[in-house]
Every structure is written in C-alpha cells, then in structure tokens.
Amino acid sequence: GIDRKIFNVGEGLVSAGGTATDVLANVPTLQVDQDGSVSLRGSSSVKILIDGRESALAGNDVTSLLQSLPANSIEKVEVITNPSSKYDAEGQTGIINIVLKKNIRTGLNGSVNTSAGSYDNYMAGLTLNYRDRKFNYFGSYNFNKRNMVGSGKTDNIFLSDTTRNYSESESSRKGNSHTVKAGFDYNMSDRTSLSFSGNLSIRDNKRIEDLDYRFYKGTVETGTSVRNSTQFEDDLGYEFNADFKHQFKRQGEELTGNASYGRDKEDGTNGFWQNYTDGRRNTERKNVTSEDGKNINLQLDYVLPFSEASKFEAGYRSQIRKSFDTQESDTLIVDKFYGRDYRISNDFDFTSAVHAIYANYQNKLTDKIGYQIGLRGEQFELKSTYISKDPDAVEKESNAKQNFFRLYPTLFLTYDVDDNGDKVQFSYSRRVQRARGWQVNPFLNVSDDLNYRQGNPNLKPEDIHSFEMSFAKTFGKVNLISSAYFNHASEVIQPFVYKIEDGRTYSRWENMTSRNLSGFEFISKVNATKDFDFTFNLNLTHIKYNANPDFEIKERKDFAYNANLTANYRFTPTFSAQMRGEYNSSRVMAQGQMNAMKGVDVALKKDVFKKKASIMLNVRDVFNTRKMNGVTETPQLVSNFERRW
C-alpha cells in the first residue's frame, strides 16, 4: 500500500499453536526479544494496534496481551513505517497493526483448534459465524495454558572499589488465559451498516524466580546469597465497540465512526526471601498491588474522492487513558514481625488524553507522479499524582503535568515506473514517542534487591523526524521491496543508572540523549518453483547516540544488521514444510551494547479430511541458540547480563 507493507500470516506454520508474539517474530522487518518486546528496525518504541486501535485489554502491558492472544486468530499484520496523518503520530519507528480474522462466508460455519507443547503448554479455541442478508453474528472462545521456563546471569563489577556481584537465575512464568469475543454486524441498507462487539479477557500469572548470588572483593569471594521470589496476578479485562459505516452515492465516498470503552483490572501479590552468608541481615518482603485502567476511544473519518486519482480525507479522534495503581509493601523487621515500608507503599493516579484532527489530500501531478500531503494536530495532556501512604510524610502528594499542542505533517511522493505496479516512493513524517505507564510510574521496583528500578513522571516525549525512499518491483516470479530510511529522535528515553549505594544500583528512566538512525531494508518473495517459495529480509542499520555530558554519555555509533529467511516446500498438495532462520547482529545502546542473537524454527503440516482439517508439528529454536545478552557500561559500573527462555 501507499504507506504500509501487508503480511498475510494466516498460513504461517512455525507459529501455529503459538501466540501473537510468535506470529510477530516471523514477520519480516520485525524482531522480538526474549522478554516479548517487539522491535521494528532496531527500535522497540513502536505502536502496536489491534484492528486499527489500541486494545484496552492490554492495560499497561501490551506484551502480556500478545503472549496470550492465539496465533490462529490473526489474519494479517500491517507494518506501517511512515504512517499518514490519518494515524496516531505515536511510535518512534512506526505502527504495527494486527488484523484479526473475521468470517465473511454466508450460512453457519466455524472452526476448532487445539495444540499441546513441551513444558506443559496447551491451547484450544472455537470460532462460530452465522451470516444472512441483514445480519452477521460472530463469536469465539480461546483458552491458553502457558509455561515459559527461563534462566539468566548478571555480573556487576563496581569500578570504584573493585567489588563484584555475580548472580545466576532460574525462572518460570505460568499462566492461564480465557478470551471471549462476540458481536454482530447489521446491514441497515445497502450503504449503511452498524457493528457491535465485546471482548472479555481473564488471565492469571504465576512467576517464580530463584537467584543465586556470589560476592567478590577483587578475586576473593566474600559471601553468597540465595533469593527466592514469587508473584501471583489475576487480570480481568473487557471492552465494548460500536462501529458505523455509511457509503454515499458517489463511488468511494464514505463516513465511518467508532466509539469504544475498555477496562483492565489486575490484582497481585509478590514477595521474596533473601539470605546472606557475608554478615548482612536477611531480608523478606511481601507486596500487595492493584492496577485499574480505563480506555475511551472516539473516532470519526470521512473520505471524499474527486476522481480516480484524487481524494480528500479528514477526521477526528480522542483517546483518553486513566489508570490508578496502588502498592503496599511490608518488610521483615525481626523474627516473624513485618512492618510497613512506606518508601514503596503508595498510590499513583495517571491520566493521559490525546485529542486530534487530521486532513489528507491525494492527487497526481502527471500520469506517473502522485502525491499525498497531510497534517495532523494533536493536543496532549498528562496528569499524574504520586500519593504517599506514610502518615508522617510532610508532602503527601507529588504532582506532574504536561499539556502541549503539536502539528505532525506528512508527505508522500510516488512515481509509477511502468504499468506492472513497479513504483518508487518518497515519504516524510513527524512522529512522537510518549512515555509508557511503567516509565512514568515513580514506584520503586525492588523485585531485585541489588538492582532497584524507578519510573520518572517528568519524562518528555521523544520528537522524531522520519524520511524514507522505497522501491517496489516484480521480476516474473520475484517480488522485491527495498527501502532506504533515516530518522532523527531527540529526548530519547532510556534507563539511567543514577546511583550506586551499598552494592546496589538505582536506575531511572530519563531523556538521555538524541539519536540518528539510518539504514537499508530489503524484502524479497521468490516463487522459485510451483512447490517451493521463500521470503528473504535483510536490514542494515547505522545508529548514532549523541554525547550528553549531563548523563556522562559519550558519543556512540555502530553498524548493525539483521536477516531472516522463511522457506516453504510442498511435498504433495496436502503435505508441506516450513523453515525460518534469523540472525540479529550486535548493536550499541546509549549505555552499552546488545550482543548477537540467532535461531531456527521448523514446521510440518498435513491436511486431512479433504482439507477441512490439518495436523501441524513445529519446533522453535531447534539448536537452542536464542538468548539475549549484552553489557551496560557507566563510569561507575560494568554490568554483563544474559536472559533466555
């Protein structure tokens, strides 16, 4: 499309029986790390939408939602690297839109699926659809029982006094999720339709981690420590959607609207026990947490075509997000007596709102040269209140506020090389990356007693200017898309180690530096024979973090690349295989470096019962090589880390 690449993932074998996270990991140009964080062109600051909207079911953690959403419910994934002004300006490198399946066949039809995997992973789902001339009724239920087994290492070397803390961990993330979707479409007339739908998500999580520490002074071991932590969470989310569409008599002229409301509530308990052999006092802690989030979306879009090549688009959107988080933390004082720790017993009230209007105009300068110009205006408001539960606190509340209006222009120029669909396109857009919930929440995270983390309610949004030149061409059986791109981001948000005390690091999210990202992307789909095809993706990136003496950051620049290959072979019309391999090179961060990561997945599929059913087998990370590791470097600390699942 003029502003997107569309990947039909419904037939992907290596992600069958998995989740949305597995699907995204198999989309060219996307990378997914060991914690499920999705990156586009090397940046995890990407906006993820479901059916064109942020899902209220995600709350403040879209990663957990993706890890519970079944892969078989996804029809296609749209990667929009330079979105037009019709879309939210948020997302440093663009937007990923996950489009869910929606049946359009008449009569009563449906499907059922089930899967089982190693480490006690199970999934099952049922989808039903009934359509007649006026109504279309649809519903689905999916169950997902998952268990992620993992391990990790951290090696902290403190440069000031040559002390060293080394730890190894074993962990498990277990969870059950139930997701229900139901709704109907009503065709009021041949030109007007209404849709109503609702989603319900019930999830629980159990996270267990065992940490073994060794402490050194120089090369001499001074003590050890054992730490056990557990976390239990119950999550309930629901959302309601109402959609309206009216097509006018003029071909292509239409008015669409959406109103949606969603809520996500999560209650949890977590605690840890840590014993030392070097004379330090043993510690125990119990936390009770609660998160309550609400999401409101109002949207109206209008399209007016003037000719086959010319059209005007305009619209309005308001999105309001509210959340209230609370935490009570008790720590062991003596024997079995616990006392309230008021440093981290507090409430956090957060509200953000984006009100936007936009306009786009598309036309042709000549038979071969087309253009689209757009402008989006967004009024952004953020209010947060940090409320202490300490009865002796002098200041009970701490407030933060942001309120500003910005214009986000977009420009697309397209040159049709020939009549076969080959084209060259240039695009520009101004974008923004706003801080996420956990990045502004000032709660002190003490889940790791030696590495405390904290949000920052005064974070400024990142400001991004993005340029891209792309070329699309078809050579017989070869489909090729190549892109050269550059974007500049200021006020880049990253964690900063601001203090080291008693062998413990304190880090906080900060606007640390500015960054230039440039690169070349190559995607090719080759239908080599009637039974064999493959898709190849190569992304070359040059990244530069500019110096900032306020955070003792020196200029850092690096060249990185990632490549993946997905191959499909059909042995017979009903028996096929798929293999996917990927390699991500090392890349720099503002304070350190991520090391290279690689992996291979394979799958087999056999259709049975005249292709009304199929049986699939897949193995992910065949050679057990996928692991995330790297190093964080500051003037006070060198920290090597490794995590894998």
Side-chain angles (χ1 to χ4, degrees):
I2 192 169
D3 65 352
R4 73 195 62 200
K5 301 178 184 73
I6 302 169
F7 299 94
N8 295 304
V9 296
E11 295 302 315
L13 304 186
V14 293
S15 56
T19 66
T21 302
D22 302 309
V23 171
L24 295 179
N26 291 301
V27 172
T29 80
L30 302 184
Q31 301 87 44
V32 179
D33 70 17
Q34 289 294 285
D35 291 325
S37 179
V38 182
S39 297
L40 171 60
R41 292 177 173 172
S43 171
S44 60
S45 299
V46 59
K47 187 85 163 182
I48 297 179
L49 306 178
I50 297 177
D51 285 335
R53 295 183 293 270
E54 282 191 72
S55 175
L57 302 181
N60 289 327
D61 189 1
V62 68
T63 299
S64 294
L65 177 65
L66 296 177
Q67 290 174 343
S68 65
L69 185 67
N72 70 285
S73 65
I74 300 174
E75 179 182 351
K76 59 187 177 182
V77 174
E78 300 176 339
V79 179
I80 312 173
T81 51
N82 235 3
S84 71
S85 60
K86 180 177 181 178
Y87 291 91
D88 283 349
E90 189 167 6
Q92 190 186 87
T93 51
I95 293 173
I96 299 169
N97 183 32
I98 299 171
V99 181
L100 302 181
K101 292 178 180 177
K102 192 172 183 180
N103 209 316
I104 59 173
R105 290 182 291 180
T106 58
L108 177 65
N109 54 83
S111 63
V112 62
N113 69 86
T114 184
S115 66
S118 54
Y119 303 108
D120 289 326
N121 282 275
Y122 305 97
M123 191 178 294
L126 172 68
T127 301
L128 292 173
N129 198 93
Y130 177 75
R131 175 183 290 271
D132 59 21
R133 194 174 68 85
K134 283 283 187 182
F135 286 93
N136 177 51
Y137 303 95
F138 53 89
S140 64
Y141 166 74
N142 285 282
F143 169 73
N144 185 1
K145 177 181 173 63
R146 62 194 184 281
N147 179 27
M148 296 173 62
V149 179
S151 61
K153 299 176 183 178
T154 302
D155 192 357
N156 289 339
I157 302 171
F158 301 95
L159 303 179
S160 59
D161 58 3
T162 69
T163 57
R164 175 185 170 213
N165 298 340
Y166 176 78
S167 66
E168 294 185 353
S169 67
E170 295 289 336
S171 57
S172 171
R173 294 183 181 178
K174 298 181 179 181
N176 300 296
S177 67
H178 306 264
T179 55
V180 180
K181 181 174 183 177
F184 67 91
D185 305 320
Y186 171 49
N187 297 314
M188 301 171 63
S189 68
D190 292 338
R191 299 182 182 276
T192 306
S193 63
L194 287 172
S195 298
F196 297 93
S197 64
N199 296 298
L200 174 67
S201 173
I202 302 173
R203 307 192 295 266
D204 64 69
N205 293 290
K206 179 182 180 181
R207 301 179 183 183
I208 301 172
E209 184 176 41
D210 297 325
L211 275 160
D212 291 316
Y213 291 92
R214 293 185 179 276
F215 307 116
Y216 297 87
K217 179 70 172 179
T219 59
V220 179
E221 182 177 307
T222 59
T224 62
S225 176
V226 176
R227 173 191 175 91
N228 309 106
S229 62
T230 59
Q231 181 174 348
F232 301 91
E233 295 174 342
D234 291 310
D235 187 288
L236 172 65
Y238 58 86
E239 61 182 356
F240 303 100
N241 291 285
D243 291 275
F244 167 82
K245 182 176 182 178
H246 176 72
Q247 295 175 311
F248 296 89
K249 290 184 178 180
R250 179 184 296 204
Q251 180 70 27
E253 182 182 6
E254 66 178 31
L255 179 69
T256 57
N258 167 264
S260 64
Y261 171 81
R263 187 174 183 182
D264 184 81
K265 186 173 176 58
E266 181 181 276
D267 296 309
T269 60
N270 61 75
F272 68 81
W273 303 262
Q274 185 154 2
N275 299 319
Y276 294 91
T277 63
D278 60 357
R280 279 184 273 187
R281 186 170 63 87
N282 296 337
T283 58
E284 291 188 24
R285 185 178 295 276
K286 297 178 180 179
N287 297 327
V288 178
T289 62
S290 177
E291 301 176 12
D292 190 355
K294 303 178 181 69
N295 197 345
I296 299 170
N297 185 83
L298 300 171
Q299 187 171 347
L300 195 65
D301 299 285
Y302 174 68
V303 181
L304 174 63
F306 299 112
S307 66
E308 188 174 326
S310 173
K311 70 176 180 179
F312 172 77
E313 294 178 292
Y316 156 83
R317 181 176 185 180
S318 281
Q319 184 169 50
I320 302 168
R321 286 181 286 181
K322 294 177 175 287
S323 66
F324 186 84
D325 302 343
T326 184
Q327 176 170 279
E328 294 179 348
S329 182
D330 295 330
T331 185
L332 184 66
I333 303 298
V334 61
D335 293 332
K336 296 184 179 182
F337 176 74
Y338 285 81
R340 182 63 42 89
D341 186 349
Y342 288 110
R343 295 178 306 155
I344 49 177
S345 297
N346 32 46
D347 297 332
F348 185 61
D349 194 2
F350 174 81
T351 300
S352 71
V354 181
H355 306 286
I357 57 172
Y358 76 89
N360 273 332
Y361 179 69
Q362 182 178 324
N363 205 343
K364 282 203 165 187
L365 295 172
T366 68
D367 289 342
K368 289 184 173 291
I369 300 176
Y371 68 91
Q372 177 178 290
I373 56 174
L375 185 65
R376 185 181 185 91
E378 290 190 349
Q379 178 71 39
F380 174 70
E381 300 174 14
L382 182 149
K383 297 178 182 178
S384 68
T385 303
Y386 176 87
I387 307 166
S388 173
K389 295 186 177 182
D390 186 352
D392 299 323
V394 177
E395 288 190 40
K396 291 285 188 181
E397 295 186 2
S398 174
N399 298 294
K401 184 181 294 186
Q402 296 182 24
N403 191 333
F404 57 84
F405 177 81
R406 278 186 184 173
L407 293 174
Y408 300 96
T410 60
L411 171 66
F412 292 82
L413 296 172
T414 303
Y415 175 71
D416 295 324
V417 178
D418 51 36
D419 297 329
N420 298 322
D422 301 341
K423 62 180 63 179
V424 177
Q425 180 178 281
F426 167 82
S427 61
Y428 161 78
S429 68
R430 185 188 185 191
R431 305 196 54 72
V432 66
Q433 180 63 44
R434 304 183 184 98
R436 301 175 185 177
W438 73 87
Q439 293 173 325
V440 299
N441 190 334
F443 279 3
L444 194 65
N445 185 328
V446 297
S447 57
D448 184 345
D449 193 44
L450 298 179
N451 298 283
Y452 283 5
R453 292 167 290 171
Q454 192 172 23
N456 181 357
N458 297 309
L459 285 174
K460 302 174 185 176
E462 298 178 5
D463 188 37
I464 302 112
H465 295 270
S466 182
F467 303 83
E468 185 166 340
M469 178 77 77
S470 61
F471 174 61
K473 184 170 178 59
T474 301
F475 307 87
K477 296 181 179 181
V478 180
N479 183 282
L480 168 69
I481 300 174
S482 57
S483 303
Y485 56 89
F486 170 83
N487 72 51
H488 171 79
S490 57
E491 305 290 353
V492 172
I493 299 170
Q494 290 203 350
F496 172 67
V497 178
Y498 65 90
K499 184 172 69 171
I500 298 175
E501 189 174 86
D502 298 328
R504 178 183 293 132
T505 66
Y506 291 78
S507 61
R508 180 173 56 219
W509 292 95
E510 298 282 0
N511 296 108
M512 290 181 57
T513 181
S514 60
R515 189 223 63 203
N516 293 332
L517 179 70
S518 57
F520 178 79
E521 184 178 73
F522 178 93
I523 306 173
S524 182
K525 169 75 180 292
V526 180
N527 296 301
T529 68
K530 180 172 67 72
D531 297 317
F532 177 60
D533 67 75
F534 62 88
T535 301
F536 175 71
N537 170 226
L538 173 67
N539 189 24
L540 310 173
T541 305
H542 182 268
I543 189 167
K544 176 185 175 185
Y545 289 98
N546 297 311
N548 185 351
D550 292 343
F551 293 102
E552 299 180 297
I553 292 177
K554 298 178 181 179
E555 180 184 289
R556 297 177 64 87
K557 53 186 177 181
D558 190 27
F559 170 79
Y561 67 93
N562 60 74
N564 55 70
L565 175 70
T566 302
N568 296 282
Y569 186 76
R570 286 161 289 281
F571 299 99
T572 71
T574 61
F575 184 45
S576 58
Q578 185 177 85
M579 183 195 76
R580 185 181 190 275
E582 64 173 342
Y583 180 85
N584 297 309
S585 75
S586 61
R587 63 183 62 239
V588 299
M589 303 181 295
Q591 288 183 298
Q593 174 179 292
M594 294 294 300
N595 295 330
M597 186 167 67
K598 57 189 175 182
V600 174
D601 307 320
V602 297
L604 297 172
K605 178 183 179 182
K606 173 65 177 174
D607 294 324
V608 294
F609 303 126
K610 298 181 179 180
K611 292 191 175 183
K612 288 186 177 181
S614 57
I615 301 169
M616 282 167 276
L617 167 71
N618 60 43
V619 182
R620 300 186 197 121
D621 196 13
V622 175
F623 302 107
N624 197 29
T625 55
R626 263 192 202 110
K627 61 182 178 181
M628 183 173 70
N629 60 65
V631 59
T632 299
E633 296 175 302
T634 76
Q636 303 87 18
L637 171 74
V638 175
S639 177
N640 294 280
F641 58 88
E642 176 184 309
R643 289 197 300 277
R644 68 186 308 161
W645 293 102

